[in-house]
Amino acid sequence: MNTPRKAVALISGGLDSMLAAKVILDQGVHVEGINFFTGFCVEGHTHAIRNQDRKKPKRNNALWVAEQLGIKLHIVDVIEQYKDVVINPKHGYGANLNPCLDCKGFMVRKANEWVNAHGFDFIITGEVIGQRPMSQRRDTMPVIAQESGAEDRLLRPLCAKLLPETLPEREAWVDRDALYDFNGRSRKPQIALAKQFGIEDYAQPAGGCCFLTDEKYSDKLRDLWATQGEKRYEIDDIMLLKVGRHLRPRPNFKLIIGRDSGENNYLKGYRHRFTYMYGTSHNGPLVLIEGQTSDSDLELAARITARFGQGRDADNVHIDVVEQTGSPRHFEVTPLTSNEMQEAWYI
Amino acid sequence: MSHHMLDATNLLCPMPVIRTQDRVAELEPGDILEVHCTDPGALHDIPAWCRVNGHHVVDTQQADNKIIVTLRVGS
Ligand code: SF4
């Protein structure tokens, strides 16, 4: 090999993509990482919002992986372009609103554009055949390669031996014999390989790499689309779905209720866009109201707000309500009792 | 060598890192960039991004809810 070939590795922050990059790095290829920020990534923000998470050491796992491997990492904001993937997935959704197959195709396509723009030679992903029910199956692997336009410049080092030869293997930029044949849902081969590389402290995302695999989150996104009457979102919408309790006591409005001071602080940043309310006689949450509300709606919202504050057992709780226009209003309400709170309101 | 400022307040991670990255791409080696943020995650993420990509953190400050990370662009 003369000048080393150059590969870009999709780095999610999880173990598989880390291993895939490491395998190719160890073959003498120049590897740089790329990470896409879709707005739904589990990474980052929620750590910063909730109190309980603040105690945990905060780290961006993709950056951490790059640092461990000693490679550069390019983080790309794809929020706008990703909307079409979530709203119109050609291959549909998985168990929740996760459009994994379209998502993988999108990310590899973006990586391919990056490769072309930066004079790199090929793309690496940490995909493993059979690892995930939708996007990582033997029959979907070629779909991703084709639809992304990457074709045989896409190498999956962890299962390459089970797939047709790709360009980097054919051209002997990498040694196919030193690649792997991982297959199926078991994590054992990855854990063994991590051990072999001396990698111990890696992130283990439970469901997947993004909020769209989360059932509760998907319910909230569906609710957003249903009330808007169409599938669309802005970044602020999807951020707010990650924060607080979301309750819809009547079809025309929803409450977003901060669960702790961290969330209340975060919600404060959105006060200019919503009607909001908070207790003045007792401590309690900041609550944003989304939707058009009548006086009777606001009174119900105030009673719910009181229910989530320290005055939940008091006879009378004072709530200030600030609407987008007009002067602040003052309500004195009896908190809803637990019997009056309805399970069906929780989104 | 010049001094620049970037306002990344009210952005949640990883947006401050992405904005820093995009800004640094327009600067020259040796230039100084002062990034103002409010997400405490930036205190970890921007230095990590600098280490990974060959830039140098000159100073970090945290007061009230404001964080300032100052970095020197690497070559
Ligand atoms: S879990 Fe989310 S980020 Fe990961 S492939 Fe599926 S849709 Fe994409």
Side-chain angles (χ1 to χ4, degrees), chain A residues 203-259:
Chain A
Q204 291 270 43
C209 23
C210 83
F211 270 100
L212 293 167
T213 57
D214 183 88
E215 190 182 348
K216 296 302 277 167
Y217 188 87
S218 296
D219 287 347
K220 290 183 218 163
L221 185 55
R222 273 195 204 95
D223 172 79
L224 176 81
W225 287 344
T227 42
Q228 283 176 167
E230 61 175 321
K231 286 162 99 182
R232 66 178 157 79
Y233 62 83
E234 294 305 325
I235 183 73
D236 279 343
D237 297 329
I238 61 173
M239 294 301 223
L240 275 172
L241 297 185
K242 297 176 188 174
V243 183
R245 291 186 177 86
H246 292 234
L247 273 74
R248 186 175 290 287
R250 288 177 184 158
N252 55 311
F253 74 99
K254 169 173 108 166
L255 287 78
I256 305 175
I257 305 173
R259 287 173 292 191

Side-chain angles (χ1 to χ4, degrees), chain A residues 63-89:
Chain A
L63 278 169
W64 181 84
V65 164
E67 197 170 4
Q68 299 306 302
L69 298 176
I71 62 173
K72 287 191 173 183
L73 181 74
H74 310 277
I75 307 177
V76 186
D77 164 6
V78 291
I79 294 168
E80 279 305 313
Q81 302 150 63
Y82 193 72
K83 286 179 180 173
D84 192 48
V85 177
V86 181
I87 293 170
N88 303 306

Side-chain angles (χ1 to χ4, degrees), chain A residues 98-170:
Chain A
N98 49 313
C100 290
L101 186 48
D102 289 80
C103 172
K104 275 275 149 62
F106 169 85
M107 289 189 182
V108 175
R109 186 167 78 242
K110 289 279 138 203
N112 193 43
E113 287 168 15
W114 193 93
V115 156
N116 290 333
H118 293 82
F120 274 50
D121 301 295
F122 62 102
I123 301 159
I124 311 164
T125 69
E127 291 163 291
V128 167
I129 293 178
Q131 182 86 189
R132 298 226 193 264
M134 185 182 191
S135 57
Q136 301 192 27
R137 295 196 320 243
R138 187 181 290 277
D139 57 333
T140 57
M141 293 271 173
V143 175
I144 295 169
Q146 273 158 24
E147 291 187 358
S148 64
E151 307 281 354
D152 68 351
R153 291 209 290 170
L154 173 59
L155 177 67
R156 286 101 164 190
L158 301 186
C159 62
K161 279 184 169 166
L162 300 171
L163 293 168
E165 230 179 17
T166 59
L167 180 73
E169 295 160 282
R170 239 184 359 260

Side-chain angles (χ1 to χ4, degrees), chain A residues 45 48 58 67 71 75 266, chain B residues 12-13 21 39 45 51-52:
Chain A
H45 18 266
K58 154 83 183 66
E67 197 170 4
I71 62 173
I75 307 177
Y266 180 70
Chain B
L12 294 178
C13 283
Q21 168 188 275
D39 183 345
D45 290 359
R51 288 195 298 275
V52 159

